Amino acid sequence: MTRYPTSRSVRAPFTEVRTDGTGSDGVAVSLPLDPGESVFHGHYRGFPIFAGVFLVETAHLAALAHPPAAAPRLRLARLESARFLHPSYPGDTLVFTLRWTHDARGWVCRATAATEEHQVARIRLRYETADSAVRPLAGDDRPPGDTADLGPLSLPEVMARIPHRDQMLLIDRVDEFRPGERVAAVKAVTFSEPCYRHLADEAAGPAAYGYPIGLLMESFNQAAAVLATAERANTDVLAEEVLMLGGYTDLGFGAPVLPGDLLEHSVRLTRTVDDIQIFEGCTRVRGEVVLTVGAAVLARRPAAVLRG
């Protein structure tokens, strides 16, 4: 793996990812976490953390910038797994190491992320040929005729439950809400969002306007957070607890999401063990499933423990 220049970089929705070098261990890319980046505004107030979804986003963009030598143009089909091991903060520099393998179903990129002090994440992404047809994703529907106990919730009512704020509050309304069971929430994607500010007035093509997968996943997670805080609101992470993303298993990605689309999240709580909750579900745009989530793990942790 020696064909990639050390000067290659890729623009993420939040910062510049630069290539440090290549070798027998794979491609190494680094991501300095600028405290001024928009993703730290509103996530969380008084205790900014680099969200796990952006670790996945960074690994994905770095993988596209550094594909295996024998591969055609690729597109992301699945996030097979992600484990988030330690939080990262403004001012940290993350180093990602990418390793590619190939099997009968396509190409797999295994990525690890670490700071100087901690291993931060382990991520496994599966890719398909970009020119192949996007396979339809199947989402589970709730039983017909069932109704929610609470809802709809307006945006102020959502803000009274979860701590996300300006630039990182990624749900606009909750349509249905059954505490302990499920939630349905929506998010309107607009071109005025910070993730599109780096685009030129005349972008190269429609692909440039694809909504970042990190924001798509984060919007789903925030719907899950509404469900996780059904019994007790969690708007101040310093006084209460930090709702942390612990990991993912088996996420599928469908057609790209574009400005003007309305994300419709359907989230179900499948299991609760102590301070850990596990969710599954899907996201639709105009009836078409664009994201499936096999399992998303949310855990509550005191801010003081995470700082340590």
Side-chain angles (χ1 to χ4, degrees):
M1 302 178 68
T2 59
R3 67 189 183 94
Y4 303 117
T6 58
S7 61
R8 177 175 293 206
S9 62
V10 59
R11 175 70 191 179
F14 26 86
T15 191
E16 196 80 12
V17 182
R18 68 170 183 262
T19 302
D20 294 331
T22 61
S24 58
D25 291 336
V27 178
V29 302
S30 61
L31 175 67
L33 299 183
D34 185 342
E37 287 293 345
S38 63
V39 296
F40 287 120
H41 296 286
H43 190 279
Y44 296 114
R45 292 181 300 173
F47 192 61
I49 292 178
F50 194 62
V53 294
F54 298 128
L55 297 173
V56 176
E57 181 91 41
T58 303
H60 164 56
L61 293 174
L64 291 183
H66 300 293
R73 193 166 59 93
L74 301 175
R75 71 169 189 88
L76 179 63
R78 304 198 78 80
L79 169 60
E80 293 189 337
S81 66
R83 297 294 178 266
F84 305 112
L85 309 172
H86 195 279
S88 47
Y89 305 102
D92 284 346
T93 294
L94 292 166
V95 176
F96 290 75
T97 302
L98 312 179
R99 299 174 180 84
W100 284 95
T101 58
H102 183 261
D103 60 26
R105 294 187 294 142
W107 288 262
V108 174
C109 181
R110 290 174 171 84
T112 59
T115 64
E116 289 186 356
E117 295 82 16
H118 304 283
Q119 187 175 63
V120 172
R122 295 194 296 266
I123 299 164
R124 189 169 73 240
L125 301 160
R126 178 169 292 278
Y127 291 83
E128 297 177 347
T129 303
D131 296 334
S132 61
V134 177
R135 300 175 185 177
L137 299 175
D140 293 333
D141 290 317
R142 61 177 188 160
D146 205 0
T147 58
D149 289 338
L150 299 174
L153 302 180
S154 65
L155 184 58
E157 290 172 312
V158 171
M159 294 174 67
R161 290 183 173 274
I162 62 176
H164 308 78
R165 291 297 182 265
D166 179 47
Q167 299 190 54
M168 279 299 292
L169 179 58
L170 300 180
I171 54 175
D172 297 326
R173 186 182 72 245
V174 169
D175 287 337
E176 298 182 0
F177 183 24
R178 182 183 286 273
E181 294 186 20
R182 69 170 184 271
V183 66
V186 298
K187 151 71 178 165
V189 176
T190 73
F191 187 65
S192 63
E193 295 184 50
C195 63
Y196 292 116
R197 289 177 186 166
H198 68 283
L199 289 178
D201 291 337
E202 298 286 339
Y209 294 90
Y211 197 55
I213 62 166
L215 297 178
L216 174 60
M217 292 186 292
E218 175 64 17
S219 183
F220 179 95
N221 292 351
Q222 291 181 19
V226 171
L227 194 52
T229 57
E231 295 183 0
R232 178 167 56 91
N234 186 21
T235 59
D236 185 349
V237 297
L238 296 179
E240 295 152 0
E241 292 175 310
V242 182
L243 197 59
M244 296 288 295
L245 178 63
Y248 286 122
T249 302
D250 194 25
L251 271 66
F253 298 93
V257 175
L258 301 172
D261 286 344
L262 183 71
L263 303 176
E264 300 178 350
H265 304 298
S266 176
V267 185
R268 293 172 296 281
L269 175 63
T270 61
R271 191 178 181 190
T272 299
V273 181
D274 297 327
D275 58 355
I276 294 174
Q277 292 177 299
I278 303 174
F279 301 87
E280 65 179 12
C282 68
T283 301
R284 290 180 170 86
V285 171
R286 291 184 295 278
E288 180 181 358
V289 179
V290 297
L291 174 70
T292 58
V293 177
V297 180
L298 297 183
R300 297 176 183 272
R301 296 289 185 268
V305 171
L306 295 175
R307 280 199 175 105

